Amino acid sequence: MTKRETYEKRTEELLQPLVDAHGFELVDVEYVKEGSSWYLRAYIDKPGGIAIDDCEVISRALSDQLDQQDFIEDSYILEVSSPGLGRPLKKEKDFVRSQGEEVEVRTYRAIERQKEFTGILHAWDKDTVTLLMEDETEMKFAREDIALIRLAFDF
């Protein structure tokens, strides 16, 4: 396990009881470098959406836990936020929540001369994702070919 994966996993372990106690859902944790700074980001959600006060409560509690445990070697910026509309589907629960919803799939390489597809999330497993397209046909994508899959949204 890489340092990044270890930090994310340990942070999730600290965070899960905090979000459970408030009736929130832990969507994702990521530890990423942007420019010269490291960011530890936690994404939380709840029915009806997360408010800034919800993020503040979790951020303060998590910050205290992280200070006590002190397992992250680098200096970093902690952010707790809503996952937002364009969040990628990563975990099994993301796919379960989004089944029957319209999603966008972006592929690494062109398939039938295009890289972006929109359809209804119909099925998935560890290797594939299947969309029901507008013309009622099914289109199956290998997970290894998918650069991004997220809920589609129209403005």
Side-chain angles (χ1 to χ4, degrees), residues 22-50:
H22 288 85
F24 302 155
E25 174 192 356
L26 176 57
V27 175
D28 199 12
V29 172
E30 63 180 9
Y31 185 70
V32 295
K33 189 167 189 172
E34 294 180 3
S36 60
S37 298
W38 283 97
Y39 290 84
L40 179 61
R41 293 192 177 112
Y43 298 100
I44 60 174
D45 208 356
K46 71 176 182 187
I50 285 290

Side-chain angles (χ1 to χ4, degrees), residues 96-114:
V96 170
R97 183 188 319 105
S98 301
Q99 185 168 15
E101 299 288 332
E102 189 174 48
V103 296
E104 293 176 3
V105 171
R106 290 190 188 150
T107 57
Y108 290 111
R109 58 181 175 74
I111 299 171
E112 297 174 14
R113 289 189 268 169
Q114 68 182 71

